[in-house]
Amino acid sequence: MAADAGMSPLQLPCAFSPKSRQYLALCAQDGRLRIWSTDSKTLHQEYVPSAHLSATCTCIAWGPCRTAKEGPTRKKRKSEAVQVEEKADLLAMGTAAGTVLIYSATKGALHCTLDGGHSGGVNCVHWHPEDSLLYSGSDDSNIIEWDLQTGKMRSKWKADRAAVTSLCVSHDGKLLLSAGQTIKMWDLDTKELYRTFTGHSTAVTTLRFATTRPPDSNGLYFLSGAAHDRLLSVWQVREDGKDKNSVVSFTMTDEPQHIDLVPSNSKEEAVRLAVVCKDGQLHLFEHFLNGPCKKPLSPLCTVQMSDTKDSPVPIPLLAAALGADSRSVLLAYGNHLQPVMERAEINTSERHVCLTRDVQTHLALSMETIVSKVKTPIVNAKSKVLVPGLPGHQAPVKGTTQGSEKRKKNSDTKEMSIAERLGEIDLSVSSEKGAPKGTASLLTDNFAVLLVQGLESNDANILNKVFQTRKDMVIKKTVARLPLPAVLPLVEEITKRLQGHPFMAALMVRWLKAVIMHHTSYLASLPDLVTQLGVLYHMIESRVKMFHKLTKLHGKLYLVMTQVATNDSSKTVTDVDRTAKLVYEEESSDEDEASGDEGLPDEDSDNWEEEEEEAKEEKMEEDQEEQAADEEDENPDSRTESKANGEEDMENESEEE
């Protein structure tokens, strides 16, 4: 049966090819599909989907093995007739964008794309064992049956209220299991619901048919595993329909991540099971399925891996495949980007087995055996290398640059090594503040030479040293002094580093900006620019996708925060200073003082109104006096006249007397 690798959001899909287990397919964090050969333990093929960053791979499943057509062959006689080997060819990949990609391992290219069916991300894919049919389940709660011969959808039906997270087709191709949280069994001929099972409290990530017997014999069993569930449940499909609860359960140390199963063909044959858990351990089970079992079954053997250091560190297992013998197991462990594959003999008589391996040496050996795609030509002093895209231009491969020629003419010393140049960069950076202006150009010369050497030799240390600069002027001058054949390798290196940590991406954006500013005309003249910059374009598009929404959210949050701040500031009122700024006391007459001395405090309240009236009268008199004084100041003539009149009156009075 085809190996299916549905996954929870934190797991990465991986699957061994069926039957011969010749290949291991892995989708790593960068969205690339890598197919490893289990025999040579090297990278067999690598495929980068066009939208591997925005539409990441969520699940993979190998199709049934078929005879590979490798070109025309002559007719053989009957005596020469040999059995044609069936090879694993087609691999289905479900993506988060709702499409299904069919990759051909024989052709090493994309076979076809199945799209237009799902409105949500694809969670699981599973092949029909005989016909060229594929089933896919999605977040939109639908199941689609695809026809691989036409590349179109044959049928589509709603399977659940929530997302469909796992699928499995029976060995005879007549029944289909689907699950979100409840498990449903469908008749593939009529697409009608056959049975419903209780399921799990969380999303089901794994479904497998454990026996090949027909459902009407009470001998059809299947198992299921769910996220955050340390039990694998086994369900029996009974003829009377009383089969809503599980009959057997297997205990594990963590939730299942990868399952391989050898089904039982009869009651006398046990089911063999290899489960790789999320914690990196492998559990081997063997059980005769014949009715319910009350107690959960513990594993027959548990396998762990560790390195050979003084303080051992566990090595996580990624996948496991059972061999023909009960003791032989094919293991894949280590890192998803560089897995190590090994056929191991497990002593199942021991309950716990720990295998020690030196992973670093394995990694180094396997990396050396991989054929590098970058080939550096051996250039003599007399030879001239012509680079496509710029006729007659000599590529700076292993050649001397202008800066080194000047240095040779001026001094008799030997050419400086890379380590000395790196040291010189450190000195120039540290003493840059007190250095004269001429050192800036020398620094950019060094950077340009080192950058070319680092791109040619693919030396990470040199490139890290050059890319760590933050000064825009140094970056611009370095990019401007680069030879044209080094521009495209620089763009590819920048693209590779942009996919890493955001801190490194912030530095790489400055270099990318400088390259586009200085070398746009050269890049536009390249014929294959669209395919070479496709990865960069998709990556930038996926990074900027949420920027508009985030800026909107930032603006709304800013408004809310300012309103809250103003409300808080208006509520906090400062304490009022209750001390009087000015105190005015009126002079009272002697009578008032006497009466005030004689009067009691209680009598003051009765005389408030009289005191107020007296104060008002006194104030009016003062106002009249002030007005009269003002009039006198304004009219001094009238004052003299009044004086004269007064004197005349006095004289008249005296005369009368």
Side-chain angles (χ1 to χ4, degrees), residues 35-300:
I35 298 177
W36 298 84
S37 173
T38 56
D39 297 328
S40 61
K41 299 179 176 54
T42 55
L43 183 62
H44 178 63
Q45 288 173 6
E46 183 175 6
Y47 172 67
V48 184
S50 58
H52 66 285
L53 293 171
S54 58
T56 54
C57 177
T58 54
C59 53
I60 56 178
W62 285 95
C65 291
R66 62 179 190 175
T67 55
K69 296 178 181 178
E70 297 179 350
T73 55
R74 69 179 180 85
K75 259 191 173 181
K76 294 185 179 180
R77 296 176 188 172
K78 291 184 179 179
S79 58
E80 292 180 7
V82 291
Q83 189 176 359
V84 180
E85 184 185 1
E86 290 186 341
K87 290 185 177 180
D89 179 19
L90 297 181
L91 179 71
M93 295 186 290
T95 66
T99 58
V100 179
L101 308 176
I102 307 298
Y103 178 81
S104 172
T106 306
K107 294 187 289 186
L110 191 67
H111 180 69
C112 65
T113 302
L114 309 175
D115 55 1
H118 290 296
S119 59
V122 178
N123 294 321
C124 47
V125 285
H126 205 282
W127 293 80
H128 195 280
E130 296 169 2
D131 303 330
S132 57
L133 300 175
L134 180 75
Y135 298 90
S136 61
S138 169
D139 284 336
D140 60 7
S141 71
N142 289 322
I143 297 175
I144 294 181
E145 183 182 60
W146 302 92
D147 189 350
L148 267 296
Q149 291 181 347
T150 61
K152 294 181 180 179
M153 181 171 58
R154 274 185 61 172
S155 60
K156 177 179 179 180
W157 70 96
K158 191 174 181 64
D160 208 322
R161 292 181 181 177
V164 179
T165 55
S166 188
L167 290 173
C168 185
V169 183
S170 62
H171 297 89
D172 57 4
K174 294 181 179 179
L175 297 173
L176 172 71
L177 285 171
S178 73
Q181 291 183 357
T182 59
I183 303 171
K184 295 181 179 180
M185 183 176 281
W186 305 86
D187 187 344
L188 285 179
D189 294 332
T190 60
K191 306 294 186 295
E192 292 181 355
L193 186 63
Y194 182 71
R195 291 285 166 83
T196 303
F197 302 89
T198 311
H200 297 257
S201 58
T202 54
V204 177
T205 56
T206 304
L207 286 172
R208 289 285 188 283
F209 276 98
T211 58
T212 58
R213 287 165 259 174
D216 53 0
S217 63
N218 287 346
L220 183 61
Y221 292 84
F222 68 90
L223 59 89
S224 64
H228 314 295
D229 194 344
R230 293 189 297 174
L231 288 176
L232 273 178
S233 301
V234 179
W235 312 78
Q236 182 182 14
V237 183
R238 297 184 52 164
E239 197 175 357
D240 55 5
K242 297 178 180 178
D243 47 16
K244 292 192 175 181
N245 296 322
S246 61
V247 291
V248 182
S249 57
F250 299 110
T251 60
M252 300 170 296
T253 53
D254 206 339
E255 64 176 277
Q257 182 172 327
H258 184 276
I259 290 182
D260 188 51
L261 183 143
V262 177
S264 164
N265 298 316
S266 64
K267 290 183 179 180
E268 290 75 25
E269 189 179 354
V271 173
R272 292 169 54 214
L273 191 64
V275 185
V276 175
C277 293
K278 195 176 176 182
D279 58 2
Q281 296 187 47
L282 168 65
H283 301 291
L284 300 175
F285 297 91
E286 195 168 331
H287 181 66
F288 291 92
L289 291 173
N290 189 11
C293 183
K294 292 183 179 179
K295 289 185 178 180
L297 300 173
S298 56
L300 182 70

Side-chain angles (χ1 to χ4, degrees), residues 42 113 314 422 489 516 528 640:
T42 55
T113 302
L422 288 174
I516 293 172
D528 300 331
T640 53

